[in-house]
């Protein structure tokens, strides 16, 4: 090649290289530094301009606030979980639409904020199949929310998936069943979400510091420090950990919508009427034994009465402690948990029922009865709550004959549970009936398949001693009610 030709070749190559570089985006300029560690050839203003999104004014966020600007090139932060990417760090792998907790519903890939769906799927989150194999009935069933309403009346059902109504394209109605409506967060006056002072999640505003109200429309006229001080309870907790501090005032949680046990109240939510359960008297079916008023979980007794439950008359020569000790006897509970103690004397319940008796109500002949009311299975007599069996019979309720007319195979067939295991593996078989292991006192049931620990307790007693535990449920004796048979209804007895 002649010198002139070689010179023309160099000029052509240089022009092509310049044209190629001019086509590369500014944020990807590869050689704006003279060398490694050298100074940037761009001015600071020009460098920042190249790292700023188009249309953003000077002073705007560089690299979308997700990276640092290095001589006109964005170096994106790497966050876990998730990675920022793109020439201006404008993309994030988590910004794509999700359905049922999965990005692009698991039927597509996230490409800089938009789902690219696999073949056979469409929708913002690739959640809708192009062909549906479901019947309309099955599809509608899959679209029903917990109240059995199709798409919460805020969308249409498409092949078992809800398509929420968003005519303005603002995506304010969303959720698997279109149960979330962020239009509820829009302030009527400003038309901003949560008045511009909070964030909306599923139709509820979560206000920023210093703002409150359903739509964060009210601003506190006191400092956050003063607000916190006013809401601090005597034990040093904000609203006693039972409420929310709003501008210096506690909004107490409604923990018991039924109202059965009162509510939480007080300037700092310090009063919890649920604590009154401790002073509930099951015999009078009232708080404070019917001789006082429960306030903040404590009894204010009427004149003439005192004690934790106002159960002790002041006219009694014994102290409350002496009275309880006398009623307790050898039992762990006053009156064996079967009666009411007043001035050292037990009144056994139900009153007039001769099956419950003794100085401390220690005898309960109801324990000798089966669920059908038969005493000791008809094969014995009851003595202070224990069966004395006739000759030829044994068992807690004299329910087992000592002689058996069944063959071993016949006997075992009657003791097998549905899975073919003898007495559920928790007892032995005798004449077609299971005798549950005495070592595990709580095992019961015809096939030893029940656990009496599942029955409710009160005062530490299963079924409060006023009923029988039948496979996890208390079967209360006459005159008693409640999950643990703890409430005396006052049924008349002869």
């Amino acid at each position: 090649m002649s010198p002139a030709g070689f010179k023309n070749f160099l000029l052509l190559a240089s022009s092509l290289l310049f044209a190629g570089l001019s086509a590369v985006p500014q944020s990807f300029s590869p050689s704006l530094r003279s060398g490694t560690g050298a100074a940037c050839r761009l001015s600071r203003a020009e460098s920042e301009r190249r790292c700023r999104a188009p249309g953003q004014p000077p002073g705007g966020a560089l690299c979308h606030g997700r990276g640092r600007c290095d001589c006109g090139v964005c170096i994106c932060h790497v966050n876990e979980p998730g990675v920022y990417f793109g020439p201006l760090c404008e993309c994030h792998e988590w910004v794509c639409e999700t359905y049922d907790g999965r990005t692009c519903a698991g039927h597509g890939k996230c490409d800089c904020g938009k789902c690219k769906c696999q073949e056979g799927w469409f929708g913002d989150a690739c959640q809708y199949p192009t062909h549906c194999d479901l019947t309309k009935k099955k599809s509608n069933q899959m679209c029903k929310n917990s109240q059995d309403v199709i798409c919460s009346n805020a969308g249409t059902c498409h092949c078992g998936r809800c398509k929420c109504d968003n005519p303005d394209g603002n995506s304010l109605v969303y959720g698997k069943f279109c149960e979330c409506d962020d239009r509820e967060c829009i302030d009527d006056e400003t038309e901003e979400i949560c008045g511009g002072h909070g964030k909306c999640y599923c139709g509820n505003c979560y206000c920023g510091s210093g703002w409150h109200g359903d739509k964060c429309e009210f601003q506190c006229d006191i400092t956050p420090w003063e607000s916190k001080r006013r809401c601090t309870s005597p034990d040093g907790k904000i609203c006693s950990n039972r409420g929310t501090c709003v501008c210096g005032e506690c909004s107490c949680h409604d923990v018991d919508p039924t109202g059965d046990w009162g509510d939480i109240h007080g300037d700092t939510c310090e009063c919890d009427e649920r604590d009154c359960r401790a002073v509930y008297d099951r015999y009078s079916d009232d708080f404070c034994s019917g001789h006082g008023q429960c306030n903040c979980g404590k009894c204010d007794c009427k004149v003439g009465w005192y004690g934790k439950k106002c159960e002790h008359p002041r006219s009694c020569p014994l102290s409350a402690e002496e009275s309880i000790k006398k009623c307790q006897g050898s039992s762990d509970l006053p009156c064996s948990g079967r009666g009411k103690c007043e001035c050292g004397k037990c009144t056994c319940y139900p009153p007039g029922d001769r099956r419950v008796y003794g100085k401390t109500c220690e005898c309960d002949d109801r324990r000798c009865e089966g669920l059908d009311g038969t005493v000791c299975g008809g094969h014995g007599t009851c003595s202070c709550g224990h069966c004395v069996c006739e000759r030829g019979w044994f068992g807690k309720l004299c329910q087992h004959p000592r002689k058996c007319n069944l063959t071993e195979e016949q006997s075992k067939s009657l003791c097998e549970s549905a899975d073919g295991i003898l007495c559920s593996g928790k007892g032995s078989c005798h004449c077609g009936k299971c005798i549950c292991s005495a070592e595990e006192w709580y095992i019961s049931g015809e096939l030893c398949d029940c656990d009496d620990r599942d029955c409710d307790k009160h005062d530490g007693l299963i079924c409060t001693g006023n009923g029988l535990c039948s496979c996890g449920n208390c079967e209360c004796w006459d005159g008693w009610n409640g999950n643990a048979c703890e409430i005396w209804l006052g049924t008349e007895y002869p």
Side-chain angles (χ1 to χ4, degrees):
M1 185 180 288
S2 66
F6 182 70
K7 185 177 181 181
N8 289 335
F9 172 75
L10 288 176
L11 287 172
L12 178 62
S14 299
S15 63
L16 287 172
L17 178 63
F18 177 78
L21 286 174
S22 64
V24 176
Q26 290 178 335
S27 56
F28 279 105
S29 299
S31 56
L32 297 175
R33 293 185 186 275
S34 300
T36 304
C40 179
R41 292 188 297 171
L42 297 176
S43 67
R44 180 177 178 180
E46 177 61 17
S47 173
E48 291 184 353
R49 185 186 70 79
R50 296 187 181 204
C51 290
R52 198 176 291 118
Q56 275 201 327
L62 301 178
C63 305
H64 283 83
R66 298 168 175 165
R68 62 182 176 85
C69 185
D70 184 12
C71 198
V73 178
C74 283
I75 309 297
C76 303
H77 297 315
V78 177
N79 290 5
E80 291 298 336
V83 178
Y84 296 117
F85 60 98
L88 295 174
C89 306
E90 71 274 22
C91 300
H92 188 283
E93 63 184 20
W94 271 23
V95 297
C96 277
E97 293 288 336
T98 62
Y99 178 79
D100 203 15
R102 302 180 70 185
T103 301
C104 302
H107 303 301
K109 290 186 178 180
C110 185
D111 184 10
C112 196
K114 290 187 178 180
C115 288
K116 287 191 173 181
C117 303
Q118 297 170 357
E119 188 176 346
W121 295 89
F122 73 99
D124 292 339
C126 304
Q127 70 270 45
Y128 306 119
T130 52
H131 300 288
C132 186
D133 297 327
L134 301 176
T135 64
K136 187 174 182 180
K137 183 178 180 180
K138 179 65 175 176
S139 174
N140 287 341
Q141 191 67 34
M142 292 173 65
C143 286
K144 287 183 179 179
N145 63 15
S146 57
Q147 284 78 41
D148 269 353
V149 179
I150 296 175
C151 299
S152 307
N153 284 334
T156 54
C157 185
H158 179 86
C159 199
R161 294 166 174 82
C162 287
K163 193 171 185 179
C164 304
D165 294 335
N166 283 294
D168 300 330
N170 49 25
S171 301
L172 292 177
V173 182
Y174 59 96
K176 185 176 181 180
F177 302 106
C178 305
E179 69 276 14
C180 295
D181 188 350
D182 283 358
R183 292 174 299 184
E184 298 291 332
C185 292
I186 298 176
D187 188 284
D188 296 332
E189 293 183 6
T190 65
E191 295 186 351
E192 288 185 277
I193 296 286
C194 301
H197 307 299
K199 292 186 178 181
C200 183
Y201 178 73
C202 206
N204 294 294
C205 282
Y206 293 84
C207 306
S209 179
W211 293 88
H212 65 101
D214 290 341
K215 296 177 182 177
C216 308
E217 67 272 33
F218 301 117
Q219 188 173 15
C220 287
D221 54 1
I222 59 175
T223 64
W225 180 88
E226 178 62 17
S227 174
K228 183 178 178 181
R229 186 191 69 79
R230 294 184 187 182
C231 289
T232 302
S233 57
D235 59 1
K237 298 173 182 175
I238 302 297
C239 299
S240 305
N241 285 346
R242 294 193 283 249
T244 305
C245 184
V246 180
C247 208
E249 293 184 1
C250 285
S251 176
C252 304
H253 299 321
D254 184 10
V255 294
D256 184 24
T258 64
D260 289 343
W261 292 100
D263 207 348
I264 290 174
H265 59 93
D267 291 341
T268 57
C269 307
E270 69 275 11
C271 288
D272 188 347
E273 296 302 338
R274 292 176 302 170
D275 292 339
C276 286
R277 295 179 186 184
V279 295
Y280 172 73
D281 180 65
R282 57 193 174 94
Y283 297 109
S284 59
D285 192 18
D286 200 356
F287 299 110
C288 307
S289 307
H291 303 305
Q293 179 73 35
C294 181
N295 292 315
C296 287
K298 295 181 180 179
C299 283
D300 290 334
C301 301
K302 294 178 182 177
V303 176
W305 296 88
Y306 73 102
K308 184 182 177 182
K309 298 183 182 180
C310 302
E311 74 279 12
H312 198 67
R314 292 195 179 275
S315 58
C316 178
L318 300 175
S319 67
E321 293 76 16
E322 289 172 337
S323 174
I324 290 174
K325 189 175 181 180
K326 199 170 181 181
C327 288
Q328 208 162 326
S330 59
S331 173
D332 294 331
L333 297 170
C335 304
S336 307
R338 301 186 187 102
K340 188 173 185 179
C341 179
E342 281 190 8
C343 199
K345 291 185 178 180
C346 288
T347 301
C348 302
Y349 272 68
D353 187 349
R354 295 183 178 180
R355 293 175 298 176
V356 184
Y357 56 96
K359 189 175 181 181
T360 57
C361 307
E362 69 274 16
C363 295
D364 187 353
D365 287 354
R366 296 172 302 179
R367 299 173 69 84
C368 294
E369 297 177 4
L371 290 173
D372 60 358
T374 305
V375 176
C376 299
H379 306 295
T381 56
C382 187
S383 175
C384 197
H386 297 280
C387 284
V388 180
C389 302
E390 297 172 354
R391 183 176 294 179
W393 294 88
F394 72 101
K396 187 178 178 181
L397 296 176
C398 306
Q399 71 271 40
H400 301 297
R402 294 195 179 275
K403 290 183 179 181
C404 185
N405 297 323
L406 300 177
T407 64
E408 188 174 347
E409 288 185 2
Q410 290 173 329
S411 177
K412 286 184 177 180
S413 67
L414 295 173
C415 290
E416 286 183 355
S417 51
D419 52 9
I421 299 176
L422 204 66
C423 297
S424 306
K426 299 174 183 177
S428 58
C429 183
H430 175 77
C431 202
K433 290 186 179 180
C434 287
I435 302 175
C436 302
S437 173
E439 294 178 2
E440 298 175 294
W441 61 267
Y442 45 85
I443 299 300
S444 64
E446 289 185 5
L447 297 174
C448 302
D449 51 350
C450 298
D451 191 332
D452 284 356
R453 293 175 298 182
D454 292 336
C455 276
D456 289 300
K457 291 182 180 180
H458 187 81
D459 284 344
L461 295 172
I462 291 176
C463 303
T464 328
N466 297 316
L468 293 175
C469 182
S470 177
C471 230
N473 294 300
C474 288
E475 299 284 346
C476 303
W477 287 314
D478 289 343
W480 296 94
N481 201 359
N483 290 337
C485 306
E486 75 277 23
I487 299 173
W488 166 241
L489 295 178
T491 303
E492 292 295 330
Y493 280 82

